[in-house]
Amino acid sequence: MKKKLFFTGLIVMFALSAIGHFGHWDMTAQFIISAIAIVFVAGFLGKATESVAHYAGQRLGGFLNATFGNAAELIIAIFLVKEGLFDMVKASITGSIIGNLLLVLGLSFLLGGLKYKVQTYNIKLAEHNGSLMILAIVALFVPAVFIKMEKFSIDEDKLLSIAVACILIACYLLWLVFSMITHKDMLADEVMNADHGEEPSWSKLTSIIMLVVATVMVAFVSEWLVHTLDTFTHKFGLSELFVGAFVIAIVGNAAEHSAAIMLAMKNKIGAAVEIAIGSSLQIALFVAPVLILVSILFNHNSFMDIVFTPIELTAIGVSVFIAKSVNKDGSTNWYEGVLLLMLYAILGFAFYLV
Amino acid sequence: MKKKLFFTGLIVMFALSAIGHFGHWDMTAQFIISAIAIVFVAGFLGKATESVAHYAGQRLGGFLNATFGNAAELIIAIFLVKEGLFDMVKASITGSIIGNLLLVLGLSFLLGGLKYKVQTYNIKLAEHNGSLMILAIVALFVPAVFIKMEKFSIDEDKLLSIAVACILIACYLLWLVFSMITHKDMLADEVMNADHGEEPSWSKLTSIIMLVVATVMVAFVSEWLVHTLDTFTHKFGLSELFVGAFVIAIVGNAAEHSAAIMLAMKNKIGAAVEIAIGSSLQIALFVAPVLILVSILFNHNSFMDIVFTPIELTAIGVSVFIAKSVNKDGSTNWYEGVLLLMLYAILGFAFYLV
Amino acid sequence: MKKKLFFTGLIVMFALSAIGHFGHWDMTAQFIISAIAIVFVAGFLGKATESVAHYAGQRLGGFLNATFGNAAELIIAIFLVKEGLFDMVKASITGSIIGNLLLVLGLSFLLGGLKYKVQTYNIKLAEHNGSLMILAIVALFVPAVFIKMEKFSIDEDKLLSIAVACILIACYLLWLVFSMITHKDMLADEVMNADHGEEPSWSKLTSIIMLVVATVMVAFVSEWLVHTLDTFTHKFGLSELFVGAFVIAIVGNAAEHSAAIMLAMKNKIGAAVEIAIGSSLQIALFVAPVLILVSILFNHNSFMDIVFTPIELTAIGVSVFIAKSVNKDGSTNWYEGVLLLMLYAILGFAFYLV
């Protein structure tokens, strides 16, 4: 009964927001409708992820969720790169990374921690995630220092950007080999095996189909919602940097957000961490470098280099450090969530004032 | 017998240094008397803390000691803020943080470690302390980068300073909730419970009263001693930065210093760490933000923003990193004390040359 | 039989490369001969180290190897300092540190990890190494910030350089007291004791003599090889910074490289880590400060201060951070090797472009 109501709401809101978008309705109406729709589609994605996680284990489920979530972002960003909007792309990459590390992880730890005193997950995974996060920030930091300090020419800038992008993609692909093939068992979540309490609603195949469908719906509604934001930013006088790094990043990651938080509240904190950190690692090690390579293939006159601004690097750097510090023991509580959210608030306020 | 002698010395030296101060004696005489008096009152505070710690557990005892110690500093700093001496206040905040993290912790580990081969304390506490220290340094670092890089206006500077100050105070209050209420047991020191060897001299109530009395005495003698320093700095040609960050910080924290070291030498390293790290966290997360808010309430033409100088941020940042690295395993030895003291020596020498 | 062939090759190649060097043969011929010779002498050093490690334990064996390896470097660097080539000395110090932390450690973890799924070593050692690495980077970073930011005079620069150099040497000597005397057992590798499978070829005394002989041979061949590089750098148009930091550092550390990798492939990862990290700590905490003091004793008009360039500090800093992150759990696998090597590739490419 409750389920039927949910799916009716989901289809109605999705259809309405499609009609609003293509019918060029009033922007305020479009915004409200899409905002409600995103709650439904994100909830749907959460259900599908959880069902897949039941069959595939928390980690693979988390990985699938992160990948489907970022696929939508990657497609939107490719269109922005094609139009040469490099600064907005970098701002939204920054926003996605800090949004996942601070907002998603923070809310998961806080809400999960209010329900369960301590939540634990595989410490080996926490350690490897930490090392990968360090590599990601270092790989963004090193070119920025060299290119600025040594006054590299455009060609040297391009060469270094291509080299670092290729190295990061290689790291990401080898990480998949390591975590999904050679050391799969070492990183698995023991908690998972003991956790068969809840029976999933769908079969294995249906779950996977539902995950794909839900992701596509999230991608569409996110795009429609982002489309309405432009008008709003002008009304409220927000800077493009703030909109790119906070508004677009929050809305664009709604799927990961709701899925991770729902899992945390069901004491599956391992899957929540996998979604949040996995997603930010995927953006830093895969999405960002792919966009750099794409920009070089597409544009003949200009390209997107790997040099982020000092405030973007600062935001990513401090987020990685605090997330690494909070995560390193593989155990979480509500106060660790507070710490992450407080830093997100500081960064949000600072970006807002820029 | 030994006890009686000590209390006679305490009262005589306290009285003498009060008479010297209010009677405007020769500055050199005042300095020598106050310096001897501070040894007695600090020793008294150490005894009182230890006695309270016996009843309250090492952690609460440490927290009380840190709070009483910093109350004196806060009061002195408020007077400095009122007079608009913002640079000296920031220098003494810097000095208190690095003094606690490097000098107090370093001496505790070294002297404790020379007596006991390895000393251990609750690893969960070490981890949470580490995350809080990272938040503190990040919260000081982020505004400095944004305000300098983006050339914020005075109003934006003020807004960001207020916002970050409020967030830090909120973090500190929630930390008290977490560590004293919701997760009290998780952070408790098991060592404590087994440690009833020494019978305390005072009852529970007397111990608390003694703690308050001792703190007040330390506050007075510290202030009298600080008062004599001005003359000395002119004689020896020391910079205000050096005096603020090293001399004032060392004298002003004499209480924590002696209490922590005495506890370490009695193998109560958990309480020593709680005093040293708790005190520096309290300064970064509570005292500093309160002073910023106070400066905005008091002054109409100017205010103390949250932007520390690059060398202050460097000093705090490197101290946090090495203290975090040394503390993260919840076990200490003499060499870890050496590392902390050596960094303190490097920073002291660098500040001296400025 | 196999052994006899090896020693014949060793002596022939060593003799040939000596004759080539002193006979002023064609530079290309000298380069090829020395490059082959270095493979043999490094292999010899590896065998000798392993034999000594059998008698002395993995840690002491690793320490001896690191010391003998760096003795050669120290001697070469003293000649460079005497000629006033301070920038090349700093570049080669930088290169040695990152070469040990990223290349040697990375290859050890990767090749060891391809053979053994997980390799473990004493976690206490990993923690102390981490703290020492933090101290080393901090001690290089602090003077750079103070001297640049506060515009120190030449005299202040000299004083601070001497003070920091003396403090680092004191830290290093106390570390030897700690790790070899007072806490020897705590840092020992339990794995070692259980590992008597392979019988060594030489007696205890012969092993030590062989270690000394091998180190001397490596020092000579390294120098002859370095000597030929100058011609090559001009042919290939490489910058002095790149040659100093990468070519000289790789060739000059050939001994540690081969020894560490051979030990890793025999599952003695504890000794491999000790060689790589021990060697880089020795360079940062002992070789670099000694060279600063030597430069001040030798030169009357100029001296080598402790201020490294921003890109050198960046390279050392990021290497320390990722090495610390990868090492902190005392367990290694092939992917951790990949991470270290990838960062080495990024830094190598960036230095190449400078």
Side-chain angles (χ1 to χ4, degrees):
Chain A
M1 185 58 207
K2 210 176 135 200
K3 227 178 242 178
K4 215 172 163 184
L5 250 175
F6 174 80
F7 280 102
T8 313
L10 172 69
I11 290 161
V12 169
M13 288 316 302
F14 184 81
L16 263 181
S17 90
I19 295 165
H21 177 76
F22 293 110
H24 301 289
W25 288 7
D26 173 67
M27 277 295 174
T28 316
Q30 274 193 49
F31 174 79
I32 294 168
I33 293 167
S34 313
I36 300 170
I38 203 107
V39 177
F40 277 97
V41 294
F44 178 34
L45 185 62
K47 271 185 206 296
T49 306
E50 208 189 325
S51 187
V52 169
H54 181 88
Y55 295 106
Q58 287 190 46
R59 286 204 64 247
L60 187 57
F63 169 73
L64 290 174
N65 185 286
T67 303
F68 281 104
N70 287 330
E73 277 178 278
L74 182 59
I75 292 162
I76 295 173
I78 286 176
F79 283 102
L80 292 175
V81 163
K82 229 177 162 175
E83 292 174 39
L85 299 168
F86 302 144
D87 287 347
M88 192 177 278
V89 172
K90 285 182 188 171
S92 78
I93 288 173
T94 306
S96 284
I97 294 173
I98 66 175
N100 274 299
L101 290 183
L102 302 179
L103 182 63
V104 180
L105 218 51
L107 282 175
S108 300
F109 289 177
L110 176 60
L111 298 178
L114 290 177
K115 215 167 154 188
Y116 304 94
K117 189 163 181 184
V118 175
Q119 298 185 295
T120 55
Y121 62 100
N122 187 327
I123 197 165
K124 280 283 160 212
L125 182 61
E127 275 161 6
H128 273 89
N129 278 336
S131 295
L132 274 165
M133 283 196 282
I134 293 284
L135 181 81
I137 178 69
V138 155
L140 295 180
F141 186 70
V142 167
V145 172
F146 275 78
I147 289 168
K148 292 288 166 203
M149 282 287 167
E150 299 293 323
K151 297 187 182 60
F152 275 24
S153 69
I154 284 285
D155 281 345
E156 290 170 335
D157 182 3
K158 192 188 249 180
L159 264 175
L160 187 57
S161 296
I162 293 174
V164 174
C166 291
I167 288 173
L168 288 179
I169 293 172
C171 279
Y172 186 69
L173 297 179
L174 288 170
W175 167 245
L176 295 185
V177 172
F178 177 80
S179 64
M180 302 287 170
I181 302 173
T182 69
H183 288 61
K184 194 182 163 188
D185 50 333
M186 194 179 90
L187 302 175
D189 236 312
E190 309 84 359
V191 181
M192 189 54 216
N193 305 323
D195 179 25
H196 288 297
E198 209 173 322
E199 209 48 40
S201 329
W202 301 311
S203 73
K204 196 169 174 176
L205 183 69
T206 315
S207 301
I208 293 169
I209 294 170
M210 286 298 175
L211 184 61
V212 177
V213 171
T215 306
V216 172
M217 287 174 82
V218 168
F220 274 106
V221 179
S222 299
E223 212 198 326
W224 300 335
L225 188 54
V226 167
H227 182 250
T228 69
L229 289 174
D230 199 44
T231 327
F232 275 79
T233 58
H234 289 294
K235 275 197 191 165
F236 296 114
L238 302 170
S239 73
E240 302 238 323
L241 181 70
F242 181 77
V243 173
F246 285 79
V247 184
I248 293 185
I250 291 175
V251 174
N253 288 306
E256 287 101 317
H257 294 211
S258 58
I261 293 161
M262 280 174 64
L263 288 163
M265 293 182 71
K266 294 191 176 173
N267 208 14
K268 296 180 182 170
I269 199 77
V273 169
E274 182 60 27
I275 289 174
I277 297 194
S279 177
S280 62
L281 284 175
Q282 208 172 48
I283 287 164
L285 298 177
F286 187 74
V287 173
V290 163
L291 290 172
I292 287 165
L293 297 181
V294 164
S295 85
I296 289 168
L297 289 174
F298 275 3
N299 299 59
H300 297 288
N301 305 319
S302 68
F303 67 98
M304 188 170 89
D305 66 11
I306 204 166
V307 180
F308 283 67
T309 65
I311 62 169
E312 288 170 343
L313 283 177
T314 301
I316 298 176
V318 298
S319 304
V320 165
F321 271 107
I322 202 148
K324 194 170 177 299
S325 177
V326 160
N327 272 295
K328 74 158 171 269
D329 59 351
S331 111
T332 74
N333 54 58
W334 69 266
Y335 189 70
E336 295 189 336
V338 166
L339 282 184
L340 297 173
L341 292 172
M342 290 295 187
L343 180 56
Y344 194 67
I346 291 174
L347 288 174
F349 202 76
F351 271 91
Y352 172 78
L353 288 177
V354 168
Chain B
M1 184 59 208
K2 208 175 137 201
K3 227 178 240 175
K4 216 173 164 184
L5 251 175
F6 175 81
F7 280 101
T8 314
L10 173 69
I11 290 161
V12 169
M13 289 315 301
F14 184 80
L16 263 182
S17 91
I19 295 165
H21 177 76
F22 294 111
H24 301 290
W25 288 7
D26 173 68
M27 277 295 175
T28 316
Q30 273 194 49
F31 174 79
I32 294 167
I33 293 167
S34 313
I36 300 171
I38 203 108
V39 177
F40 278 96
V41 293
F44 178 34
L45 185 62
K47 271 184 205 297
T49 306
E50 209 190 322
S51 188
V52 169
H54 182 90
Y55 295 106
Q58 287 191 45
R59 286 205 64 250
L60 188 55
F63 169 73
L64 290 175
N65 185 287
T67 303
F68 281 103
N70 287 329
E73 276 179 278
L74 182 59
I75 293 163
I76 296 173
I78 286 176
F79 284 102
L80 292 175
V81 163
K82 229 176 162 175
E83 292 174 38
L85 299 168
F86 302 146
D87 287 347
M88 192 178 278
V89 172
K90 285 183 187 171
S92 77
I93 288 173
T94 305
S96 285
I97 295 174
I98 67 174
N100 275 299
L101 290 183
L102 302 180
L103 182 62
V104 181
L105 219 50
L107 282 175
S108 300
F109 290 178
L110 177 59
L111 298 178
L114 290 177
K115 214 166 154 190
Y116 304 95
K117 188 163 182 183
V118 176
Q119 297 185 296
T120 56
Y121 63 99
N122 188 326
I123 197 165
K124 281 283 160 211
L125 181 61
E127 275 161 5
H128 274 90
N129 278 336
S131 295
L132 274 165
M133 284 195 281
I134 293 284
L135 182 81
I137 178 69
V138 155
L140 296 179
F141 186 70
V142 167
V145 172
F146 275 78
I147 289 168
K148 292 287 166 203
M149 282 288 168
E150 299 292 323
K151 297 184 182 62
F152 275 25
S153 70
I154 284 285
D155 282 346
E156 290 171 335
D157 182 1
K158 194 188 249 181
L159 266 174
L160 187 57
S161 295
I162 295 174
V164 174
C166 292
I167 287 172
L168 288 180
I169 293 171
C171 279
Y172 186 70
L173 297 179
L174 288 170
W175 167 246
L176 295 185
V177 173
F178 177 80
S179 64
M180 302 287 170
I181 302 171
T182 71
H183 288 62
K184 193 182 163 187
D185 49 332
M186 195 178 90
L187 301 176
D189 237 309
E190 310 84 359
V191 181
M192 189 54 215
N193 304 322
D195 179 24
H196 287 298
E198 209 173 323
E199 209 48 38
S201 329
W202 301 311
S203 73
K204 196 170 174 177
L205 184 68
T206 316
S207 301
I208 293 170
I209 293 170
M210 287 296 174
L211 185 61
V212 176
V213 171
T215 307
V216 171
M217 287 174 82
V218 167
F220 274 105
V221 180
S222 300
E223 213 197 325
W224 300 334
L225 189 53
V226 167
H227 182 251
T228 69
L229 289 173
D230 199 44
T231 327
F232 276 79
T233 58
H234 289 294
K235 275 199 191 162
F236 296 116
L238 302 170
S239 74
E240 302 237 324
L241 182 69
F242 181 77
V243 174
F246 285 79
V247 184
I248 293 185
I250 291 175
V251 174
N253 288 307
E256 289 101 316
H257 293 210
S258 58
I261 293 161
M262 278 174 64
L263 288 163
M265 292 182 72
K266 294 192 176 171
N267 209 14
K268 295 180 182 171
I269 199 76
V273 169
E274 183 60 28
I275 289 175
I277 297 194
S279 178
S280 62
L281 284 175
Q282 208 173 47
I283 287 164
L285 298 176
F286 187 74
V287 173
V290 163
L291 290 172
I292 288 164
L293 297 181
V294 163
S295 84
I296 289 168
L297 290 175
F298 274 4
N299 300 59
H300 297 289
N301 304 319
S302 68
F303 66 98
M304 188 171 88
D305 66 10
I306 203 167
V307 180
F308 283 66
T309 64
I311 62 168
E312 288 169 344
L313 283 177
T314 301
I316 298 176
V318 299
S319 304
V320 166
F321 271 108
I322 201 147
K324 195 172 176 300
S325 178
V326 160
N327 273 295
K328 73 158 172 269
D329 58 352
S331 113
T332 73
N333 54 58
W334 68 267
Y335 190 71
E336 295 188 335
V338 166
L339 283 184
L340 297 173
L341 292 172
M342 290 295 188
L343 180 56
Y344 194 67
I346 292 175
L347 289 173
F349 201 77
F351 270 93
Y352 172 78
L353 289 176
V354 168
Chain C
M1 184 60 207
K2 211 176 136 200
K3 228 178 241 177
K4 216 172 163 183
L5 251 176
F6 175 81
F7 279 101
T8 314
L10 172 68
I11 291 161
V12 169
M13 288 315 302
F14 183 80
L16 263 183
S17 89
I19 295 166
H21 177 75
F22 293 110
H24 302 289
W25 290 8
D26 173 67
M27 277 295 176
T28 316
Q30 273 193 48
F31 174 78
I32 293 168
I33 292 167
S34 313
I36 299 171
I38 203 109
V39 177
F40 277 96
V41 293
F44 178 35
L45 185 61
K47 269 185 207 298
T49 306
E50 209 189 323
S51 188
V52 169
H54 181 89
Y55 294 105
Q58 286 190 45
R59 285 204 64 249
L60 187 57
F63 169 73
L64 290 175
N65 185 285
T67 303
F68 280 104
N70 287 330
E73 277 178 279
L74 182 59
I75 293 162
I76 296 172
I78 286 176
F79 283 102
L80 292 174
V81 163
K82 231 178 162 175
E83 292 174 37
L85 298 168
F86 302 146
D87 287 347
M88 192 178 278
V89 171
K90 285 182 187 171
S92 78
I93 288 172
T94 306
S96 284
I97 295 174
I98 66 174
N100 274 299
L101 290 182
L102 302 180
L103 182 63
V104 181
L105 218 51
L107 282 175
S108 299
F109 290 178
L110 177 59
L111 297 178
L114 290 177
K115 214 166 155 191
Y116 304 95
K117 190 164 181 183
V118 176
Q119 298 184 296
T120 56
Y121 63 99
N122 188 327
I123 196 165
K124 281 284 159 211
L125 181 62
E127 275 160 7
H128 274 90
N129 278 337
S131 295
L132 273 166
M133 283 196 281
I134 293 284
L135 181 82
I137 177 70
V138 155
L140 296 179
F141 186 69
V142 166
V145 171
F146 275 78
I147 289 168
K148 292 289 166 201
M149 283 287 167
E150 299 293 323
K151 297 185 183 61
F152 274 25
S153 69
I154 285 283
D155 281 344
E156 290 170 336
D157 182 2
K158 193 188 249 180
L159 265 174
L160 187 58
S161 295
I162 293 174
V164 174
C166 291
I167 288 172
L168 288 179
I169 292 171
C171 280
Y172 186 70
L173 297 178
L174 288 170
W175 168 245
L176 295 186
V177 172
F178 177 79
S179 64
M180 302 286 170
I181 302 173
T182 70
H183 287 62
K184 194 182 164 187
D185 50 331
M186 195 178 90
L187 302 175
D189 236 311
E190 308 86 358
V191 182
M192 189 54 215
N193 306 322
D195 180 22
H196 287 297
E198 208 172 323
E199 209 47 40
S201 330
W202 301 311
S203 72
K204 197 170 174 176
L205 183 70
T206 316
S207 301
I208 293 170
I209 293 170
M210 287 297 175
L211 186 61
V212 176
V213 171
T215 306
V216 172
M217 287 173 83
V218 167
F220 273 105
V221 180
S222 299
E223 213 197 326
W224 300 335
L225 189 54
V226 167
H227 182 252
T228 69
L229 289 173
D230 198 45
T231 328
F232 275 80
T233 58
H234 288 295
K235 275 199 191 162
F236 296 116
L238 301 170
S239 74
E240 302 237 324
L241 182 69
F242 181 76
V243 174
F246 284 80
V247 183
I248 292 184
I250 291 175
V251 174
N253 288 306
E256 288 101 316
H257 294 211
S258 57
I261 294 163
M262 279 174 63
L263 288 163
M265 292 182 71
K266 294 191 174 173
N267 209 16
K268 295 179 182 170
I269 199 76
V273 169
E274 183 59 28
I275 289 174
I277 297 194
S279 177
S280 61
L281 284 175
Q282 208 173 48
I283 288 163
L285 299 177
F286 187 74
V287 173
V290 163
L291 290 172
I292 288 165
L293 297 181
V294 164
S295 84
I296 290 168
L297 289 176
F298 275 3
N299 300 60
H300 297 288
N301 305 317
S302 69
F303 67 98
M304 188 170 89
D305 67 10
I306 203 167
V307 180
F308 283 66
T309 65
I311 62 169
E312 288 170 344
L313 283 177
T314 301
I316 298 176
V318 299
S319 303
V320 165
F321 271 108
I322 202 148
K324 195 172 175 297
S325 178
V326 160
N327 272 296
K328 74 157 170 270
D329 58 352
S331 111
T332 74
N333 55 59
W334 68 265
Y335 190 71
E336 295 189 334
V338 166
L339 282 184
L340 296 174
L341 292 172
M342 289 295 187
L343 180 56
Y344 193 67
I346 291 174
L347 288 174
F349 201 77
F351 271 92
Y352 172 78
L353 288 176
V354 168

